[in-house]
Amino acid sequence: MRVHVVGNVCVDTTFRLDRFPRPGETLNASEHADGLGGKGANQAVAAARTGADVRFWTAIGNDAAGAWIREQLRRDLDTSHLTMLPKESDRSTIMVDARGENLIVTGASCATAFDPLAESGFAASIERGDIVVMQGNLHPDATTACLRTTHEAAVMTIFNPSPLATGTTPHLSDVSLVIANAGEAAQLTGTGDPDAAARELIRRGAGTAVVTLGALGCLVADGEGRIERIMAPKVAVTDTSGAGDVFCGCLAGCLAAGMDLAAAARVAVRAAAVSVGRAGTLGSCPDRQEMKTLMETTEAETA
C-alpha cells in the first residue's frame, strides 16, 4: 500500500513576535528564518516518517527557490515526481506570537496551476488499496477531479479542506475520510458543535470524519455517526504552525501501516503534540525514530 500526497510545497519565512501587528503597524521580529513548508510537503514528510511508502506529487518553479526545495525534500522523499513550472516557486510568510499562535499568508501560483491528472505518471502509479491525501491548496477543479478519479479507482481518499477556498464546496461523496479542524468543520457545515459538524460531514457524503480540536485532541466519527473522543497530552506550546499537517500525514501513514482509524488518530494526536512543543513548521515534525516509538507505544496500549 502506497500513500500519494498531492499538494503544495513552498519556502516558509517565519517571523517571531511578541504579538501580531495591528493594521498599518510595523513591528520588529525577535527572529526570523526560512524553511521548507507547504501543507502538501508537511503531510508527505510526516507520512514518510511513519515508515510509509510515500509519493509526493507537487509543482515547483524554475528558479533558485525551486532547486532549494528539491534538495530539502530529498532528505525524506523521492523527488522524481515533482513538476517544474515556468513560474516563481510558492512562498509563505508565517507570523508566530508569544503564545505560539500563528498567522499565515501564502503565494500559491505553482499550486493553483498544478493539475495532477495531467501528469502522466500519477494516474498510472495509482493501485487499488492505495491512499491519496489532498488539501485545499490546488485549484478547486483540480482537487475535485483528482478526488473523483482516485475514489473511482478504489483508492482511499483523505481530504483535509485547508485552506478553504471562498465559495467552494468540496465534493464529499468522493472522500473516504475528511479531516478538518473545528473552525473548518464549522465553516463547512454551519454548526459550531464539533460532534454535530462531524455527523453533518458524513451526512453530506464523507465515509468517515475526524475533527481536530487543538489542545483537546480530536474526535473520530464513523460512517454511522458514532463519536469517539481522543485526548491530547498536555504540553507547553511553542509554535502551532504545521501541527495539523503533522496530524494528517501521520494519520495517513498509520492507516497505511494497517492501524484502524481510532488507533491512527491516537498516534497522530501525540505526534501533533510533539510538534507544537517545537519551533517551525516542517522542522517541528517528529523524526522517524520518534514516530516509530509513538506507533509502537499506541499499539502496545491497544493490544
Side-chain angles (χ1 to χ4, degrees), residues 27 40 77 88 128 185 195 211 252 256 273:
L27 295 178
L77 299 165
E88 292 185 357
R128 186 182 184 91
D195 291 47
V211 177

Side-chain angles (χ1 to χ4, degrees), residues 221-245:
D222 67 15
E224 302 301 319
R226 291 184 292 264
I227 303 290
E228 180 174 351
R229 289 186 174 274
I230 297 171
M231 301 303 296
K234 292 183 179 180
V235 296
V237 175
T238 299
D239 183 354
T240 59
S241 305
D245 297 334

